[in-house]
Amino acid sequence: MDILLRHESVSEYNAYNNHETLHPLVTVVDLSKAMPRRGYRVYFGLYTIILKDVKIGDLRYGKNNYDYQDGTLVFFAPGQVVTIESNGEYYQPQGHALAFHPDLIRGTVLARQMHDYSFFSYNANEALHISEQERHIVLDSFRKIQYELERGMDKHSKKLIVSNIELFLNYCVRFYDRQFLTRDNAHKGILERFETLLNDYFMSDRPQAIGLPSVAYCAGELNLSPNYFGDMVKKETGKSPQEYIQLKLIDTAKEKIFDTSKSVSEIAYELGFKYPQHFTRLFKQRVGFTPNEYRANN
């Protein structure tokens, strides 16, 4: 497991998977043709989307396992290191993969939109679980790209390949929206834990010690990636995690303001603000009154 493989080019990725290179910047790979392998770590220098057809052990990013099984899509962006754990046993890969170098899309509309596909940073434990119908759409997208690779390059090839990649990624956005709905119960559990986390945080001395809770901090405490956590909270509540945190902060502040033995500055420091005027500005934005006005009115 100490060996780190590096897939920094399409040709390297193809060679590892026993696949012919038809284009230097993009490939669609049938993983069943790869040689049997066992656990390893791999660095991706490519955008890589893998449709897994078999469960082959644990797939880890950092310290967390991907929530993946048969028939799931996982997404890797350039710069990510992933660990495949197979308990030392060899396994035969099954499934398909689409991999493309960032240079393929450089200068295109898709390049400017890649940051919108936040699932490339769902790096903790949420793969995309697809239905059989969705699987057909994924494979059809892969076939169209493969067709362009096999017919030879002409002046239309790059535009058609990039367009098909963009269409595929937009389908994945839809599939994730569906998954957020079908996993509603699991997400409600996360929201309840998020609520408890914030309550416990503001009741402790942590705000004074380390400041206001960040989205990244909350996501880490819930064992989720910041992007997945942000998208899930937005889908479930209509608010971003930052807005949710601020609402909890304001609710806590309102309670504290009724304690007239404390000044507004003392309350601001207790809530994690370095500068009381920042607290006053946020409170007025959210409530419509300054803290002192709110105290006087109530």
Side-chain angles (χ1 to χ4, degrees):
M1 196 63 70
D2 292 332
I3 298 175
L4 176 65
L5 300 175
R6 300 186 70 87
H7 297 325
E8 299 193 60
S9 68
V10 165
S11 60
E12 288 174 338
Y13 188 71
N14 283 334
Y16 183 69
N17 290 292
N18 197 27
H19 187 82
E20 180 185 4
T21 297
L22 300 176
H23 190 290
L25 297 178
V26 59
T27 187
V28 176
V29 174
D30 181 352
L31 295 171
S32 67
K33 297 178 180 179
M35 295 292 290
R37 59 188 61 160
R38 56 182 176 179
Y40 62 96
R41 289 193 308 138
V42 58
Y43 168 88
F44 286 95
L46 312 167
Y47 288 102
T48 308
I49 303 99
I50 301 174
L51 172 61
K52 287 290 186 183
D53 283 344
V54 294
K55 181 74 170 69
I56 48 94
D58 292 327
L59 179 63
R60 294 175 65 83
Y61 183 92
K63 296 181 179 180
N64 298 298
N65 282 341
Y66 267 99
D67 174 20
Y68 97 116
Q69 50 194 294
D70 298 1
T72 55
L73 279 172
V74 288
F75 301 81
F76 305 118
Q80 292 181 330
V81 176
V82 177
T83 301
I84 309 292
E85 296 180 343
S86 63
N87 298 320
E89 298 180 359
Y90 283 89
Y91 65 91
Q92 175 60 53
Q94 297 288 338
H96 296 79
L98 166 65
F100 58 95
H101 195 280
D103 286 349
L104 175 74
I105 62 173
R106 209 172 300 282
T108 67
V109 173
L110 178 58
R112 296 192 291 273
Q113 295 175 339
M114 284 304 290
H115 67 276
D116 294 332
Y117 301 112
S118 52
F119 41 75
F120 278 103
S121 296
Y122 290 176
N123 55 21
N125 57 2
E126 278 298 340
L128 176 57
H129 303 259
I130 57 175
S131 67
E132 189 60 30
Q133 186 179 34
E134 291 167 347
R135 173 187 163 81
H136 287 310
I137 293 173
V138 170
L139 291 177
D140 185 57
S141 298
F142 287 3
R143 277 192 291 268
K144 288 177 179 176
I145 297 169
Q146 182 66 17
Y147 169 78
E148 290 299 322
L149 295 176
E150 290 177 347
R151 76 182 304 278
M153 296 296 105
D154 59 27
K155 65 180 182 180
H156 304 289
S157 299
K158 178 178 177 178
K159 183 176 181 179
L160 288 169
I161 290 171
V162 172
S163 295
N164 275 292
I165 292 173
E166 182 177 0
L167 179 61
F168 164 65
L169 294 176
N170 286 334
Y171 269 117
C172 291
V173 172
R174 170 186 280 178
F175 298 160
Y176 257 117
D177 281 351
R178 184 269 311 154
Q179 180 162 296
F180 280 123
L181 293 175
T182 56
R183 293 194 158 194
D184 188 53
N185 288 337
H187 293 155
K188 280 186 169 58
I190 293 171
L191 285 175
E192 290 171 359
R193 289 165 55 205
F194 182 31
E195 181 79 12
T196 300
L197 173 67
L198 292 178
N199 286 334
D200 292 346
Y201 191 93
F202 284 117
M203 288 176 63
S204 71
D205 59 359
R206 278 175 287 179
Q208 299 173 68
I210 59 178
L212 295 170
S214 67
V215 174
Y217 168 83
C218 294
E221 290 295 300
L222 298 171
N223 295 317
L224 295 171
S225 66
N227 276 0
Y228 185 87
F229 175 61
D231 291 346
M232 183 274 294
V233 172
K234 185 74 172 179
K235 290 287 191 310
E236 291 291 324
T237 69
K239 301 178 178 63
S240 71
Q242 187 62 43
E243 291 173 318
Y244 200 96
I245 291 169
Q246 287 184 354
L247 287 173
K248 177 57 64 176
L249 168 72
I250 295 301
D251 284 344
T252 305
K254 287 178 177 179
E255 292 296 324
K256 288 180 175 290
I257 284 172
F258 284 106
D259 181 358
T260 55
S261 67
K262 294 178 181 178
S263 68
V264 169
S265 293
E266 288 174 317
I267 293 171
Y269 290 130
E270 284 184 5
L271 292 170
F273 287 88
K274 291 183 178 180
Y275 305 104
Q277 60 267 34
H278 291 174
F279 166 62
T280 299
R281 187 181 305 121
L282 176 64
F283 192 92
K284 186 169 185 178
Q285 286 174 349
R286 291 292 183 180
V287 180
F289 301 98
T290 67
N292 280 324
E293 288 170 342
Y294 184 81
R295 175 180 276 174
N297 290 339
N298 289 276

